[in-house]
Amino acid sequence: MRNIRKSTKLAGGLLGSVLLLAACGGGSDSASDTTAAGGGSGTGATAMTITYDIADAAVWEDGTPITVADFQCTLDAVMNTPGSISTSGYDKITTVAAGDSDKQVVVSFKELYAPYKNLFSGLIKKAAVKDCKDISGDFQTSFGYSGTEWKLDSWSADQVVYVPNDKYWGPRKVGAGLKKLVMVPKPDTEITALKAGEVDFIYPQFYAGITDELKDPNVKTVLNYGGDYEALYMNLGVDGKNTIAGKEKTRAFSDPAFREAFYKSIDLDALFKQIYIPIDPKGSLLTCGPMVPGDYCPEGIFGNKYDQAAADKIMTDAGYAKDAKGLWAKGGTAPVIQWVINTGNTRRESTQAYLIPLLKKAGFNVEAYNCDAECYFQKRLPASDYDLAMYISTAPPDPAYLVSSFTSDNIPTEANNNVGQNFQGWSNETATKALHDSDKEIDAAKRAELIKSAIVEMDKDYILIPLFQFPKSGAYRTDRVDNVEGELNNFAAFNDTYQWKDLDGDGQVVIGAEQWPGCLNPVTECANSSWYVWTVANVLMPGAYRTTNDGKYEVTELLKSEPKVSTK
């Protein structure tokens, strides 16, 4: 049976650099008012400016122009909205101002920001919200604006319907034969729905046997390897604890000895053969940390560290002893490790079924702590309500997402208004400095070394266990739709629906979605799921840059030309 997909951490329509669990950046010590920290009167020297020239014809769905005010509103919303999931990069901005007209946007930065192409990748329309500095109550069950080729016709728990935006000015005009783009939730039945002709296209998480299940004379399956990867993540808590539903919980993984011994108690080669070889017989264990192989992947770290004798010694040296049940305990208590996954995901459920008995045999008191996808990705992960988590991240082309997910100042706390995606609570000042320095480093080789050095710290601290680079899979009915394969390896996923061709004459393309967002807000935890980005943000929100199928960035039709970047 199939299941629920790909959440990542990091999300993207608005925040671009984030992991799609969101496809979303990082944060600062405080998400302060933009008049002091991001876009108002700003103080101090300007290290960099970016000038964006908005296309003269660029308008919203109601025909009103897209202007500097919408850039300012986007900045204000990201920096000030309670529960803003990421402020990375935006927290470097001191002012947003009009240049020669309100169609020219001059953005000033207090320091160099190398991954600037991630910024303003999804604009918030100022006129669509009451208060740009707090949009937490907006976009709960509707999304009333668009600056793209599509606009929202209707939204419900059962389906979303998009129709061509008749005010759209750019080159991505919807083909004449396509009148509607429809998305429907099919979390457990997407393949059955595709083969039955209920939907035209699906974007399923790849798993063992999927190609056999998809065999049908009218179905074509396309596979690509991109930025998707799966890993296990340990929650260290904030100062070793989290407050969940008003109760304080101590996190066993806050103890570095406990983390190291836990990692060394898992035979990753055996796990890989059990879980991942059936998916890809030629696959190999991922050793890059929180990313896929490429320019930023350090060599010779992570991987299989299995050594039960060494793990036992680490635990005893740290003051643990096995209790009557054979579980590691300290002070008479064996810490419970709550391992959360999304229910219905058979691969992750199989991983739990395989590993939990082995971990208990090794002395670790692990229990399943599962819930559905909405609960998992939009509630438990953002609230750090777990000890161990397993999920796939969809990483954007630029590694700037590491800042939001792994720097100390991006641990969500009351002190920083719960900004950031470092849901693990990992605080390592060496890594934090390296990642923040990487944001300011414009030399590509030096930037890569800084990022690698931060990932080495993750390995030293045993905070995650990388597992597998996942293939991206798309499947469609060749008798109903065509020209769908152009962007299936894109971080933004199937973002070229405007040029898909309706073959059966019903005037619509129907996409079956694995996950269905519980709300539509592009700034808060609502955006912590890749399917939110694919079903809402990417479809409606215009931005300065978009990602390409080959992992690069390109200027969108929103702008007249490449932005002008000036450094001082």
Side-chain angles (χ1 to χ4, degrees):
M1 182 169 122
R2 260 292 305 126
N3 28 62
I4 298 186
R5 165 158 187 139
K6 196 177 244 191
S7 276
T8 66
K9 249 183 150 188
L10 311 197
L14 171 60
L15 300 169
S17 67
V18 150
L19 269 181
L20 276 176
L21 172 50
C24 281
S28 61
D29 288 330
S30 72
S32 54
D33 186 279
T34 54
T35 57
S41 58
T43 59
T46 296
M48 180 172 84
T49 61
I50 301 178
T51 302
Y52 301 89
D53 286 302
I54 303 172
D56 294 334
V59 295
W60 294 110
E61 83 299 331
D62 58 1
T64 58
I66 299 174
T67 71
V68 62
D70 302 304
F71 277 72
Q72 178 71 63
C73 185
T74 302
L75 174 64
D76 288 343
V78 171
M79 289 300 300
N80 296 289
T81 296
S84 177
I85 201 167
S86 173
T87 62
S88 213
Y90 294 96
D91 56 356
K92 308 296 190 295
I93 296 172
T94 54
T95 60
V96 170
D100 295 336
S101 72
D102 63 2
K103 282 283 190 176
Q104 186 176 76
V105 184
V106 181
V107 180
S108 299
F109 294 76
K110 61 186 176 183
E111 58 190 43
L112 295 179
Y113 188 63
Y116 66 87
K117 291 180 181 179
N118 291 316
L119 300 177
F120 300 108
S121 56
L123 292 182
I124 293 171
K125 180 182 178 183
K126 181 180 180 182
V129 298
K130 292 180 180 179
D131 180 3
C132 291
K133 293 183 179 180
D134 183 359
I135 68 166
S136 57
D138 296 293
F139 311 112
Q140 295 304 302
T141 58
S142 64
F143 203 102
Y145 74 90
S146 170
T148 71
E149 63 271 19
W150 295 105
K151 64 181 179 181
L152 185 68
D153 183 66
S154 63
W155 174 276
S156 72
D158 301 315
Q159 70 172 10
V160 58
V161 177
Y162 294 105
V163 295
N165 178 3
D166 58 1
K167 295 295 192 297
Y168 174 68
W169 71 95
R172 293 165 60 96
K173 289 184 169 60
V174 178
L178 192 55
K179 306 301 183 185
K180 291 181 181 179
L181 175 65
V182 180
M183 300 188 194
V184 294
K186 296 288 182 181
D188 297 305
T189 60
E190 59 187 332
I191 291 177
T192 301
L194 181 70
K195 293 171 76 171
E198 296 172 16
V199 300
D200 303 328
F201 171 87
I202 60 174
Y203 196 64
Q205 187 178 127
F206 195 73
Y207 62 92
I210 187 173
T211 52
D212 290 334
E213 288 187 37
L214 282 166
K215 281 184 179 178
D216 184 281
N218 292 315
V219 172
K220 183 176 180 181
T221 304
V222 183
L223 299 179
N224 297 283
Y225 276 89
D228 293 3
Y229 63 89
E230 189 158 49
L232 290 165
Y233 297 86
M234 303 179 203
N235 178 16
L236 286 59
V238 180
D239 296 325
K241 299 177 181 180
N242 294 125
T243 300
I244 307 299
K247 296 182 180 179
E248 195 170 69
K249 301 193 73 168
T250 299
R251 298 300 179 190
F253 286 129
S254 64
D255 182 344
F258 196 95
R259 296 197 301 274
E260 181 179 358
F262 184 84
Y263 193 134
K264 291 182 175 179
S265 296
I266 300 174
D267 185 343
L268 289 179
D269 290 337
L271 174 65
F272 197 86
K273 290 177 183 177
Q274 178 75 21
I275 302 298
Y276 296 105
I277 287 298
I279 297 175
D280 183 358
K282 297 180 180 179
S284 59
L285 188 66
L286 182 64
T287 60
C288 292
M291 64 171 48
V292 299
D295 294 340
Y296 303 100
C297 175
E299 299 295 332
I301 61 174
F302 291 105
N304 194 15
K305 302 176 186 286
Y306 181 60
D307 187 335
Q308 195 60 64
D312 292 347
K313 185 176 187 305
I314 290 167
M315 291 297 284
T316 55
D317 288 351
Y320 294 86
K322 288 191 174 179
D323 63 13
K325 294 181 180 179
L327 300 173
W328 290 114
K330 183 182 279 191
T333 300
V336 175
I337 300 169
Q338 294 178 316
W339 181 355
V340 63
I341 63 168
N342 48 309
T343 51
N345 188 301
T346 52
R347 182 188 66 263
R348 291 176 192 150
E349 290 171 344
S350 296
T351 304
Q352 286 185 327
Y354 174 75
L355 271 187
I356 288 176
L358 294 177
L359 287 166
K360 286 193 174 180
K361 184 177 179 181
F364 294 95
N365 190 15
V366 183
E367 64 179 30
Y369 185 54
N370 305 336
C371 63
D372 64 30
E374 181 182 345
C375 160
Y376 181 23
F377 295 115
Q378 296 183 7
K379 295 177 183 177
R380 286 194 179 164
L381 281 178
S384 297
D385 184 9
Y386 70 97
D387 290 294
L388 185 69
M390 179 183 185
Y391 51 81
I392 290 178
S393 295
T394 296
D398 193 286
Y401 64 84
L402 296 174
V403 175
S404 175
S405 298
F406 294 99
T407 54
S408 303
D409 47 309
N410 277 291
I411 299 171
T413 63
E414 288 185 12
N416 75 348
N417 291 334
N418 293 308
V419 167
Q421 289 184 296
N422 187 347
F423 305 138
Q424 294 177 253
W426 181 54
S427 181
N428 178 301
E429 291 312 310
T430 300
T432 294
K433 184 178 186 304
L435 289 173
H436 281 307
D437 286 350
S438 75
D439 271 356
K440 296 179 282 187
E441 181 54 68
I442 58 176
D443 182 285
K446 291 179 180 178
R447 186 168 182 246
E449 289 307 310
L450 286 166
I451 290 164
K452 288 179 182 178
S453 70
I455 295 174
V456 167
E457 292 298 313
M458 299 176 198
D459 179 51
K460 289 179 182 178
D461 278 358
Y462 296 93
I463 62 163
L464 77 155
I465 305 175
L467 298 170
F468 184 54
Q469 180 185 9
F470 258 84
K472 295 174 181 283
S473 55
Y476 64 97
R477 291 194 61 97
T478 56
D479 58 337
R480 291 175 176 265
V481 64
D482 193 15
N483 203 32
V484 305
E485 298 183 26
E487 298 294 330
L488 298 187
N489 198 39
N490 199 319
F491 166 69
F494 45 94
N495 70 339
D496 61 342
T497 52
Y498 70 96
Q499 62 182 4
W500 290 12
K501 295 181 179 178
D502 168 43
L503 297 182
D504 61 359
D506 64 356
Q508 64 181 13
V509 168
V510 182
I511 295 174
E514 281 189 333
Q515 293 174 14
W516 205 244
C519 62
L520 311 183
N521 193 296
V523 169
T524 65
E525 71 277 359
C526 302
N528 202 47
S529 161
S530 50
W531 273 99
Y532 164 78
V533 177
W534 299 335
T535 58
V536 182
N538 284 349
V539 185
L540 297 173
M541 301 178 75
Y545 285 89
R546 65 169 59 94
T547 56
T548 64
N549 201 55
D550 59 352
K552 296 181 174 61
Y553 291 87
E554 64 180 9
V555 171
T556 73
E557 65 276 14
L558 177 69
L559 305 180
K560 292 180 179 179
S561 60
E562 191 79 28
K564 300 177 183 66
V565 180
S566 174
T567 59
K568 296 180 181 180

